[in-house]
């Protein structure tokens, strides 16, 4: 997914399910830098008592808040995207439960045009199913590796340190630019990952601004 490649705009997007240890730091960084982020939350996240204050702050600070499925379902096989692991009925029921949880915290359905599928994983059928519920499926823009911030050393070759992720981000930007990019950072990651990417958010924002990028929310990026 990518916005207008002719405009020097990017969107910072954050997903949340069962982990949220970085959220306070992320919210503080966005506030200090006077920019709006886009938060995509599962129903489980919204129902977790310890996360409710974060959701209130997201809304009070004017950030976009929308869905990320209700129970963080894996909808299709990792080895074959088209091999569905859910039925249409179960998928739609899960998505509607997510929307109900979002409405329960005061979010207007009219403000929920976009959602990020759970695990950032989907296929053409689930995109159509979500569309029928009124949601456009969006995802981070491929090419950069910020979404690998969930990995940890025990994953072996799959692990990417924050230094590697950030080096890749600026190397890619220098070669191709980031116009229209959705840049995903996870709000919480496994305890086995010690170098959390969100600790570098202030620096990432500062460099993006220094390169002339305007940081906007997803609706502004994709309008």
């Amino acid at each position: 997914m990518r916005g207008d490649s002719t405009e020097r705009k990017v969107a910072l997007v954050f997903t949340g399910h069962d982990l949220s240890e970085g959220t306070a730091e992320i919210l503080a960084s966005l506030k200090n830098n006077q920019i709006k982020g886009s938060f995509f939350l599962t129903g489980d996240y919204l129902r977790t008592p310890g996360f409710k204050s974060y959701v209130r702050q997201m809304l009070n600070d004017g950030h976009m808040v929308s869905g990320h499925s209700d129970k963080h379902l894996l909808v299709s096989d990792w080895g074959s995207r088209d091999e569905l692991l859910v039925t249409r009925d179960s998928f739609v029921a899960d998505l509607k439960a997510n929307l109900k949880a979002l409405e329960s915290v005061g979010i207007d359905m009219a403000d929920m045009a976009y959602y990020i599928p759970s695990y950032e994983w989907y296929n053409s059928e689930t995109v159509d199913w979500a569309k029928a519920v009124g949601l456009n499926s969006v995802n981070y823009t491929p090419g950069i590796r910020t979404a690998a911030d969930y990995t940890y050393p025990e994953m072996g070759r799959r692990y990417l340190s924050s230094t590697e992720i950030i080096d890749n981000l600026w190397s890619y930007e220098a070669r191709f630019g980031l116009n229209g990019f959705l840049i995903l950072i996870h709000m919480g990651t496994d305890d086995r990952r010690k170098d959390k990417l969100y600790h570098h958010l202030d620096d990432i924002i500062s460099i993006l601004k220094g390169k002339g990028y305007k940081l906007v929310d997803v609706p502004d990026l994709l309008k």
Side-chain angles (χ1 to χ4, degrees):
M1 176 65 64
R2 186 176 185 179
D4 189 339
S5 63
T6 67
E7 290 194 291
R8 209 160 179 80
K9 291 182 178 181
V10 297
L12 294 175
V13 300
F14 308 91
T15 56
H17 173 48
D18 58 342
L19 300 171
S20 197
E21 82 284 348
T23 307
E25 184 175 344
I26 288 168
L27 287 168
S29 179
L30 296 176
K31 191 167 190 174
N32 291 339
N33 286 283
Q34 299 182 317
I35 62 173
K36 303 303 181 188
S38 300
F39 291 85
F40 296 87
L41 312 175
T42 66
D44 281 348
Y45 185 99
L46 292 156
R47 289 185 291 268
T48 299
F51 300 164
K52 290 185 182 297
S53 63
Y54 298 141
V55 178
R56 285 195 297 270
Q57 186 176 347
M58 291 171 197
L59 296 175
N60 289 339
D61 290 351
H63 300 299
M64 176 201 169
V65 179
S66 194
H68 189 45
S69 87
D70 194 60
K71 307 296 289 185
H72 210 242
L73 299 180
L74 180 62
V75 298
S76 63
D77 187 82
W78 288 119
S80 176
R81 187 187 290 267
D82 291 330
E83 187 178 331
L84 284 167
L85 302 176
V86 296
T87 65
R88 176 170 184 157
D89 286 347
S90 62
F91 176 87
V92 169
D94 176 81
L95 201 49
K96 286 183 175 179
N98 189 195
L99 293 176
K100 185 176 180 180
L102 287 160
E103 286 184 288
S104 74
V105 297
I107 300 171
D108 192 324
M109 276 291 294
D111 296 329
M112 289 187 281
Y114 303 100
Y115 99 110
I116 291 183
S118 46
Y119 296 100
E120 295 83 56
W121 192 243
Y122 55 91
N123 64 24
S124 59
E125 283 186 274
T126 62
V127 168
D128 288 343
W129 295 347
K131 185 70 172 178
V133 178
L135 292 173
N136 298 296
S137 304
V138 298
N139 201 3
Y140 61 85
T141 309
I144 58 175
R145 304 297 304 278
T146 59
D149 66 341
Y150 75 92
T151 60
Y152 45 86
E154 288 79 358
M155 288 183 170
R157 292 182 180 179
R158 291 174 58 196
Y159 170 65
L160 283 180
S161 69
S162 292
T163 297
E164 290 173 306
I165 290 171
I166 291 167
D167 286 348
N168 166 265
L169 176 65
W170 302 132
S171 173
Y172 188 98
E173 194 280 332
R175 294 179 65 195
F176 306 110
L178 297 174
N179 289 5
F181 268 52
L182 285 77
I183 301 172
L184 173 68
I185 295 175
H186 291 95
M187 291 153 52
T189 63
D190 193 287
D191 286 342
R192 285 169 287 187
R193 183 182 183 94
K194 304 304 180 185
D195 66 328
K196 310 287 191 175
L197 184 61
Y198 52 72
H199 290 327
H200 303 272
L201 183 56
D202 269 335
D203 287 339
I204 291 171
I205 292 172
S206 177
I207 293 170
L208 286 169
K209 285 184 171 181
K211 290 177 178 290
Y213 290 97
K214 183 179 181 182
L215 288 87
V216 300
D217 62 17
V218 167
D220 190 340
L221 187 77
L222 300 181
K223 67 182 178 182

